[in-house]
């Protein structure tokens, strides 16, 4: 059987099985998020309700979504828009009854719509009967322990405060209970105590109640904070994951096919843990991606998106990301660095009223200046990136906001249905509405409403309907792999989505002006790009770069259909590489599986593999000191290392094995350093040529640098040689060897001397330490005696040679079997005007140039070239003096001279003659 055909058939079978498995429905979900109170008022009391939502289900279905997410509808004091629950088993009276909800569920399912509701498990309202009973119960009782109490408000001191605008502590005193209660959010939202088994049992009952009513899934609100432990930051704790696993076990056992969606506003590597081994949540939000979409458009650079996606870990096959353009209430900025947050505030929230906590409370259209091209571009990214997209009610028509309303109410205003009173949301008197509708001339309901846009074929609403219809036809968007293309034009974001035999090409122009792009699609030669919206066929793909031109903020989706192959073309240009990103969640320890906590081992292995296979090979391959230029590097493996340094500066001194596709492995001396952004722009720019990768540790970002470009590291090497230190590695030992002339050469202040790299590097890296010392680091290293070091020591300490370079010390690696390998040599600094080889090349080049131009001096060669010949005579004299020094007998067989006879002299002469003839032949060929 044809193996390729067999592989294709196997892939097709897997895809067919996945498509047939309805339990994975959430992978193809397009979710519409709404507030009941804001959608439609059926009884004209000024507040939207369940019956009103049921009336509008046809609109939701016709939009093209297939899932509805309801924000909290439980009875509540409404101090936090319903996230302060007072009764888990009922509908707030203003929204309707449980009978209304059952009718809504039946009608939604009849239209093929699934329903996700909120399961707010971290906390309740302080009006909840559980809390009221806990306040009155004795200390230490089961009822009191439904919540987290203490007599000491300094407990859990390492926990951050989330709502910094309103809360000063995570503890609040309760006069009745005579204790402090714990709350991660507002003080009126006490946290439940999941160390009490009765709490989890009560939550199970709540889940069963709504699942039995027909709900298809839960959004688990604020789940990183379920369990508290002193001495931690009380986020993402193993005990929290144990609780989630129990919740998932209940779902799998009794409610197969139902969904758990994690709301964990964390970095990707932390969110990854909420999938577990496909035994925790089915889905989780990708919070860091959202702000970087906005940043990419503002900067007109794809890097913010490609960077964060490169840091996004793989998730179990049955799991899915949830992606969105705003976290309903705001463009949250928790998962960005401080510099990124400042930039986003300046760009998208110049008005301070738009800022709230660590986010921006604006709707999509105002955030993007109501620029339709930007709005469409952002939606195209939302609908084509990996994951299931979430759309906030009203964004499909470009609704505006009102920053003058308190808290987050400015983005929770009534849905704008018609250009009439109350935006067609309600027939109640305007003053009875829960919030006033938007009424300004740009976003007001007279200008922006469903009725008008439904009648206009080019409206945003109808455009969204067409986009969603196109997306639903391509399962690659929800289930496919992601591969970024990296064209030279960074204003273009291009990527492939592949699922089974389907291949989708997405190209987006992040700039405001038209941009050209050349895409390397040669591996898909012969396929024909078919534009998904208009279904137009584009020219087939060939070996040459595929050229497209996109208008400002334009985008295109193509299905790469199989077509006839075209003749091969030449002149293929590779795309420009971008620096990869390493997520060092625990500094250098992140690279070693035996130095991290057990639940981080898999992540450490992935980071180590990324370093060795994706990060180091491109850097090493481009260095002049890499000896295997013609061979492709497969991997640069760390064979031994030592973490060494002092407070504020630590280095990883490594020996790395370069594994090539052909030829034997080579070992290189490759010390590394972490340079964080707070080092300053000037220092980071100075390291640019030695930068290996971008790094991130939580919100701290920086670069991974070749440490031999770091002045502090080179200076530290000299200090270690001066003190004769030894540093243990994982297997061997780093030994810093002090020479007998060190003190005379280095002086007493060598630790403060400036460090200066010396010109272009070759097979070694050489830096000057002041005007006294020269540090030469050998890059490709081999075990055994180093000839330069041994000869230098001989001419420095055994038979002093006045015209030699004195040795001050060395750095060597001693393997576990005692075999030494010289890594670096510290020599005395000799001021000079360059070397004889460079001088000769320059002299010959000048003479030949004069010869071609007819300006070369004429006369006796001895006179014409007298200056150069004087240098040659001096060089010959010094060489002879060197040989005299080396010829002295000292009783060391390695250095004592051996007799040479006439045959040796003839062999040397013949070799010199052959080398000269070969050089002349090459010159004639030119």
């Amino acid at each position: 059987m044809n193996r390729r055909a067999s592989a294709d058939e196997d892939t097709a079978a897997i895809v067919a099985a996945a498509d047939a498995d309805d339990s994975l429905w959430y992978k193809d979900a397009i979710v519409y998020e709404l507030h009941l109170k804001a959608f439609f008022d059926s009884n004209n009391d000024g507040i939207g309700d369940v019956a009103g939502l049921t009336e509008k289900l046809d609109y939701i279905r016709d939009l093209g979504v297939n899932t509805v997410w309801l924000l909290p509808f439980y009875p509540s004091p409404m101090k936090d828009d319903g996230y302060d629950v007072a009764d888990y088993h009922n509908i707030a009276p203003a929204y309707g009854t449980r009978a209304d909800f059952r009718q809504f569920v039946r009608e939604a399912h009849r239209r093929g719509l699934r329903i996700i509701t909120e399961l707010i498990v971290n906390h309740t309202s302080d009006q909840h009967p559980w809390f009221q009973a806990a306040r009155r119960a004795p200390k230490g009782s089961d009822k009191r322990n439904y919540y987290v109490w203490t007599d000491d408000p300094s407990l859990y001191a390492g926990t951050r405060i989330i709502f910094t605008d309103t809360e000063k502590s995570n503890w609040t005193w309760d006069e009745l209970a005579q204790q402090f209660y714990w709350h991660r959010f507002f003080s009126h939202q006490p946290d439940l105590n999941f160390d009490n088994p009765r709490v989890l049992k009560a939550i199970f009952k709540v889940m069963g109640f709504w699942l039995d009513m027909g709900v298809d899934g839960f959004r688990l609100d604020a789940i990183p904070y379920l369990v508290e432990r002193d001495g931690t930051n009380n986020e993402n704790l193993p005990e929290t994951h144990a609780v989630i696993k129990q919740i998932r076990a209940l779902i799998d056992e009794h409610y197969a096919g139902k969904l758990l969606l994690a709301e964990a506003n964390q970095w990707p590597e932390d969110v990854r843990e909420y999938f577990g081994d496909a035994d925790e949540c089915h889905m989780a939000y990708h919070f860091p991606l959202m702000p970087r979409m906005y940043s990419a458009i503002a900067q007109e650079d794809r890097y913010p998106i490609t960077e964060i996606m490169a840091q996004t870990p793989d998730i179990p096959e049955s799991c899915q990301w949830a992606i969105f353009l705003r976290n309903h209430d705001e463009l949250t900025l928790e998962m960005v660095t401080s510099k990124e947050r400042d930039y986003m505030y300046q760009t998208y929230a110049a008005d301070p009223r738009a800022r709230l906590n660590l986010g921006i409370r604006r709707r999509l259209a105002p955030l993007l200046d109501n620029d339709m091209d930007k709005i469409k571009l952002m939606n195209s990214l939302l609908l084509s990136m990996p994951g299931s997209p979430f759309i906030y009610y009203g964004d499909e028509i470009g609704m505006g906001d009102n920053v003058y309303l308190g808290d987050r109410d400015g983005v929770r205003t009534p849905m704008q249905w018609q250009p009439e009173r109350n935006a067609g949301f309600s027939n109640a008197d305007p003053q009875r509405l829960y919030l006033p509708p938007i009424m300004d001339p740009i976003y007001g309901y007279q200008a922006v409403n469903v009725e008008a846009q439904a009648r206009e074929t080019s409206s945003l609403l109808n455009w969204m309907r067409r986009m969603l219809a196109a997306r639903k036809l391509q399962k690659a968007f929800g289930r496919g792999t992601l591969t970024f293309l990296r064209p030279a034009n960074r204003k273009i974001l291009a990527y492939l989505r592949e699922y089974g035999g389907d291949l989708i090409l997405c190209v987006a122009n992040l700039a405001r002006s038209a941009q050209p792009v050349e895409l390397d699609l040669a591996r898909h030669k012969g396929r024909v790009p078919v534009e998904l919206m208009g279904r137009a066929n584009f020219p087939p793909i060939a070996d040459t770069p595929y050229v497209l031109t996109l208008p400002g903020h334009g985008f295109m989706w193509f299905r790469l259909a199989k077509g006839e192959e075209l003749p091969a073309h030449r002149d293929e240009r590779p795309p420009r590489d971008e620096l990869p990103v390493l997520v060092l969640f625990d500094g250098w320890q992140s690279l070693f599986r035996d130095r991290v906590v057990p639940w981080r081992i898999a992540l450490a292995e992935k980071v180590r593999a990324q370093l060795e296979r994706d990060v180091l090979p491109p850097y090493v391959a481009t260095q002049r000191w890499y000896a295997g230029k013609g061979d492709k590097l497969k991997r640069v493996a760390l064979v031994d290392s030592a973490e060494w340094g002092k407070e504020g500066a630590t280095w990883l001194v490594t020996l790395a094995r370069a594994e090539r596709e052909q030829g034997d492995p080579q070992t290189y001396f490759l010390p590394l350093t972490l340079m964080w952004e707070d080092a300053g722009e000037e220092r980071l720019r100075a390291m640019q040529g030695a930068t290996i990768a971008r790094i991130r540790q939580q919100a701290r970002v920086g670069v991974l640098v070749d440490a031999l470009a770091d002045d502090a590291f080179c200076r530290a090497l000299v200090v270690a040689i001066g003190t004769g230190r030894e540093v243990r590695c994982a297997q061997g030992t780093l030994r810093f060897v002090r020479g007998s002339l060190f003190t005379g050469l280095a002086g007493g202040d060598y630790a403060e001397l400036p460090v200066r790299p010396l010109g272009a590097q070759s097979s070694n890296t050489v830096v000057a330490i002041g005007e006294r010392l020269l540090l030469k680091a050998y890059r490709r290293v081999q075990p055994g005696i180093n000839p330069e070091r041994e000869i230098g020591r001989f001419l420095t300490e055994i038979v002093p040679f006045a015209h030699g370079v004195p040795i001050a010390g060395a750095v060597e690696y001693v393997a576990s079997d005692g075999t030494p390998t010289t890594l670096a040599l510290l020599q005395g600094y000799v001021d000079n005007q360059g070397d004889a080889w460079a001088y000769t090349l320059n002299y010959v080049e000048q003479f030949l140039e004069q010869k071609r131009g007819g300006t070369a001096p004429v006369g006796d060669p001895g006179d014409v070239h007298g200056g150069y010949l004087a240098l040659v005579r001096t060089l010959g004299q010094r060489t002879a003096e060197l040989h005299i020094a080396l010829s002295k007998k000292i009783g060391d067989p390695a250095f004592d001279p051996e007799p040479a006879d006439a045959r040796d002299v003839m062999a040397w002469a013949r070799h010199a003659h052959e080398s000269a003839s070969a050089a002349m032949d090459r010159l004639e060929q030119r």
Side-chain angles (χ1 to χ4, degrees):
M1 177 182 287
N2 182 286
R3 291 187 177 180
R4 177 58 185 269
S6 177
D8 288 345
E9 289 169 5
D10 291 344
T11 302
I14 293 170
V15 170
D19 291 345
D21 185 1
D22 194 51
S23 66
L24 299 179
W25 59 269
Y26 50 87
K27 284 191 164 248
D28 303 311
I30 303 172
V31 183
Y32 190 74
E33 173 192 0
L34 59 89
H35 293 270
L36 275 173
K37 67 179 180 182
F39 207 61
F40 188 68
D41 175 14
S42 68
N43 59 2
N44 300 321
D45 64 354
I47 302 173
D49 45 49
V50 177
L53 173 59
T54 305
E55 286 186 42
K56 294 296 185 180
L57 284 176
D58 286 343
Y59 167 80
I60 295 174
R61 178 198 59 196
D62 295 343
L63 179 61
V65 303
N66 52 26
T67 305
V68 178
W69 166 22
L70 299 180
L71 293 169
F73 50 73
Y74 308 104
S76 165
M78 296 301 289
K79 293 182 179 180
D80 188 23
D81 204 40
Y83 283 93
D84 46 339
V85 178
D87 182 355
Y88 281 114
H89 291 87
N90 271 303
I91 306 289
Y95 298 151
T97 65
R98 288 191 289 200
D100 293 334
F101 191 83
R102 291 190 184 93
Q103 178 65 15
F104 159 70
V105 171
R106 284 193 294 268
E107 291 299 319
H109 287 168
R110 190 167 66 83
R111 290 168 173 82
L113 298 172
R114 297 181 188 268
I115 301 164
I116 299 173
T117 64
E118 294 276 1
L119 185 64
I120 303 160
V121 295
N122 180 68
H123 53 264
T124 70
S125 165
D126 58 7
Q127 301 304 306
H128 196 288
W130 295 348
F131 186 70
Q132 292 302 316
R135 299 173 68 205
R136 293 168 172 80
K139 285 186 182 181
S141 65
D142 284 341
K143 282 190 176 181
R144 173 66 69 96
N145 288 338
Y146 255 58
Y147 296 85
V148 182
W149 301 87
T150 189
D151 297 318
D152 177 11
S154 66
L155 188 65
Y156 308 149
T159 307
R160 68 186 175 105
I161 298 172
I162 294 173
F163 290 147
T164 55
D165 287 4
T166 57
E167 302 298 327
K168 304 305 179 186
S169 171
N170 287 316
W171 292 105
T172 292
W173 175 257
D174 186 86
E175 193 65 33
L176 180 60
Q178 288 293 297
Q179 276 192 299
F180 293 91
Y181 63 86
W182 177 255
H183 55 89
R184 285 309 303 271
F185 294 91
F186 295 112
S187 58
H188 56 78
Q189 294 169 315
D191 281 19
L192 289 165
N193 178 14
F194 280 90
D195 287 325
N196 184 346
R198 293 193 176 191
V199 170
L200 189 56
K201 186 178 294 185
I203 294 299
F204 284 170
K205 289 181 180 178
V206 172
M207 293 172 60
F209 177 83
W210 293 106
L211 291 170
D212 290 340
M213 200 175 289
V215 165
D216 296 288
F218 295 112
R219 173 186 178 269
L220 303 182
D221 181 67
I223 58 168
Y225 319 116
L226 297 186
V227 179
E228 301 79 27
R229 292 292 182 269
D230 199 19
T232 73
N233 66 358
N234 287 314
E235 298 181 16
N236 311 312
L237 299 183
E239 294 85 350
T240 290
H241 290 283
V243 171
I244 300 170
K245 288 180 189 293
Q246 293 181 67
I247 294 174
R248 174 63 181 270
L250 172 75
I251 291 286
D252 289 346
E253 183 176 355
H254 299 291
Y255 299 99
K258 303 298 184 179
L259 169 72
L260 294 178
L261 167 60
E263 192 247 354
N265 193 347
Q266 306 283 323
W267 293 99
E269 65 272 19
D270 293 322
V271 178
R272 167 61 183 85
E273 297 178 12
Y274 288 91
F275 296 112
D277 295 323
D279 59 353
E280 293 190 33
C281 294
H282 304 80
M283 291 180 68
Y285 292 100
H286 198 310
F287 276 91
L289 174 61
M290 172 188 58
R292 285 164 178 81
M293 292 184 187
Y294 291 92
S295 183
I297 289 179
Q299 297 176 27
E300 299 189 355
D301 191 333
R302 65 175 178 248
Y303 180 73
I305 295 175
T306 57
E307 175 199 31
I308 198 64
M309 294 308 293
Q311 299 174 44
T312 301
D314 294 333
I315 61 177
E317 185 64 30
S318 62
C319 295
Q320 177 74 314
W321 290 108
I323 54 177
F324 49 96
L325 296 181
R326 279 162 31 267
N327 184 31
H328 53 258
D329 293 322
E330 61 184 347
L331 196 172
T332 180
L333 300 177
E334 286 190 66
M335 291 302 109
V336 297
T337 65
S338 56
K339 283 188 176 181
E340 291 170 333
R341 186 178 301 117
D342 291 341
Y343 177 80
M344 291 291 286
Y345 277 147
Q346 293 169 9
T347 304
Y348 291 107
D351 185 347
R353 285 177 294 241
R355 305 177 187 180
L356 183 68
N357 293 312
L358 292 179
I360 301 173
R361 51 173 184 153
R362 300 302 306 269
R363 271 191 174 269
L364 178 64
L367 275 169
L368 299 175
D369 302 318
N370 206 29
D371 184 323
M372 281 299 118
D373 289 334
K374 286 185 182 178
I375 292 171
K376 291 178 178 180
L377 174 59
M378 284 293 284
N379 276 294
S380 78
L381 296 177
L382 170 70
L383 298 177
S384 59
M385 296 298 286
S388 295
F390 282 56
I391 300 167
Y392 190 50
Y393 84 98
D395 280 356
E396 73 274 17
I397 60 173
M399 273 179 60
D401 52 41
N402 184 353
V403 296
Y404 296 95
L405 295 175
D407 193 36
R408 308 176 201 183
D409 286 340
V411 293
R412 299 167 174 171
T413 56
M415 180 67 177
Q416 296 170 194
W417 296 103
Q418 296 171 324
E420 57 187 47
R421 189 179 72 171
N422 299 334
F425 161 74
S426 172
N427 288 327
D429 291 338
Q431 62 268 28
R432 292 191 64 190
L433 299 187
Y434 75 97
L435 285 175
I438 303 300
M439 293 180 282
D440 66 66
I442 298 176
Y443 301 104
Y445 60 84
Q446 297 91 343
V448 177
N449 59 78
V450 171
E451 182 180 284
Q453 292 199 22
R455 296 169 59 182
E456 183 185 352
T457 57
S458 61
S459 69
L460 179 60
L461 173 61
N462 281 315
W463 178 86
M464 282 291 291
R465 287 171 172 170
R466 291 192 294 271
M467 288 290 290
L468 294 175
R471 187 191 189 279
K472 288 167 73 174
L473 292 174
Q474 308 296 330
K475 285 190 176 290
F477 284 126
R479 304 187 181 218
T481 59
L482 171 73
T483 304
F484 282 111
L485 304 177
R486 303 194 184 270
N489 187 349
R490 288 174 58 130
K491 297 177 187 292
I492 298 293
L493 175 67
Y495 47 98
L496 295 167
R497 303 299 314 281
E498 186 170 6
Y499 179 69
D502 294 333
L503 187 61
I504 306 296
L505 168 66
C506 303
V507 189
N509 177 11
L510 304 174
R512 61 189 181 279
S513 59
Q515 295 292 324
V517 64
E518 296 182 348
L519 300 175
D520 179 8
L521 297 171
R523 64 187 295 262
H524 305 295
K525 182 176 69 173
R527 290 194 178 234
V528 177
V530 179
E531 201 270 325
L532 287 183
M533 302 301 291
R535 301 186 181 180
N537 292 355
F538 277 56
I541 297 168
D543 286 325
T544 52
Y546 200 84
V547 180
L548 291 171
T549 302
L550 282 77
H553 296 136
F555 72 94
M556 302 183 92
W557 291 352
F558 298 98
R559 180 174 62 87
L560 300 187
K562 293 181 180 179
E564 295 295 326
E565 283 197 1
L566 299 179
H569 295 270
R570 59 183 182 86
D571 193 29
E572 182 178 4
R573 281 171 268 179
R576 185 176 64 191
D577 290 333
E578 296 173 345
L579 283 177
V581 177
L582 278 176
V583 178
L584 299 179
F585 55 89
D586 192 18
W588 293 123
Q589 313 304 319
S590 313
L591 299 173
F592 304 95
R593 69 186 310 275
D594 57 338
R595 301 184 193 175
V596 299
V597 291
W599 58 88
R600 293 275 194 174
I601 289 176
L603 187 56
E605 290 174 341
K606 181 178 179 182
V607 173
R608 176 71 169 262
Q610 182 189 5
L611 175 74
E612 294 181 341
R613 296 188 181 279
D614 302 330
V615 172
L616 291 179
Y619 174 75
V620 171
T622 59
Q623 301 307 301
R624 291 188 64 183
W625 42 260
Y626 174 55
K629 288 291 189 294
D631 299 328
K632 184 176 180 180
L633 266 179
K634 296 188 302 182
R635 179 171 175 245
V636 176
L638 306 186
V639 295
D640 203 1
S641 63
E643 188 175 346
W644 173 59
K646 55 186 178 181
E647 185 177 353
T650 59
W651 304 284
L652 191 69
V653 183
T654 78
L655 288 180
R657 183 178 62 245
E659 299 172 357
R660 305 175 290 168
E661 287 190 347
Q662 296 180 345
D664 295 328
Q666 300 169 343
T667 303
Y668 288 86
F669 176 41
L670 186 58
L672 305 171
T673 186
L674 304 178
M675 195 72 62
W676 300 104
E677 62 179 350
D678 53 12
E681 289 295 328
E682 184 175 341
R683 193 175 180 200
L684 290 172
R685 276 197 300 271
M687 301 285 179
Q688 191 167 352
T691 299
I692 300 171
R694 296 275 184 177
I695 55 172
R696 179 175 66 75
Q697 184 173 359
Q698 295 295 315
R700 197 181 186 196
V701 296
V703 289
L704 177 69
V705 177
D706 188 327
L708 285 166
D710 182 3
D711 293 357
F713 176 76
C714 296
R715 200 176 287 112
L717 288 179
V718 175
V719 171
I721 291 172
T723 56
R725 282 195 62 182
E726 285 192 6
V727 176
R728 286 290 303 164
C729 300
Q731 301 174 42
T733 303
L734 283 176
R735 185 178 296 164
F736 298 85
V737 183
R738 176 189 174 110
S740 61
L741 299 184
F742 179 90
T743 302
L745 293 171
D749 60 343
Y750 59 87
E752 285 74 42
L753 293 175
V755 176
R756 174 172 53 91
L758 291 183
Q761 306 296 309
S762 55
S763 57
N764 307 314
T765 298
V766 184
V767 296
I769 313 295
E771 299 292 322
R772 303 179 199 166
L773 299 168
L774 199 72
L775 179 67
K776 178 187 290 185
Y778 299 102
R779 290 306 199 145
R780 186 183 177 189
V781 295
Q782 296 178 341
I785 295 174
N786 180 280
E788 184 176 21
R789 177 184 173 189
E790 287 302 298
I791 293 174
R793 185 184 61 82
F794 178 86
L795 297 174
T796 299
E797 300 177 359
I798 309 301
V799 181
F801 176 59
H803 301 292
V805 180
I807 300 296
V811 182
E812 65 179 10
Y813 170 80
V814 181
S816 56
D817 62 0
T819 304
T821 300
T822 300
L823 304 181
L825 197 60
L826 186 64
Q827 302 170 306
Y829 180 86
V830 178
D831 197 14
N832 60 85
Q833 300 297 318
D835 57 78
W837 174 247
Y839 182 88
T840 299
L841 289 177
N842 184 59
Y843 183 85
V844 172
E845 183 179 348
Q846 286 184 347
F847 179 78
L848 293 177
E849 186 67 28
Q850 291 173 336
K851 199 74 173 173
R852 281 194 295 268
T855 60
V858 294
D860 184 78
D863 296 327
V864 172
H865 304 293
Y868 176 75
L869 293 175
L871 173 67
V872 172
R873 278 193 295 272
T874 300
L875 183 61
Q877 180 179 341
R878 297 288 182 264
T879 303
E881 292 168 351
L882 173 64
H883 280 275
I884 291 173
L886 291 172
S887 67
K888 294 181 179 180
K889 289 188 176 183
I890 61 170
D892 185 347
F895 286 94
D896 283 351
E898 296 179 0
D901 55 23
R903 288 177 299 178
D904 294 319
V905 174
M906 289 180 62
W908 296 335
R910 183 167 57 252
H911 176 72
H913 183 269
E914 290 172 355
S915 297
S917 297
M920 292 298 178
D921 291 340
R922 285 194 295 271
L923 286 173
E924 285 183 359
Q925 292 171 4
R926 293 185 179 182

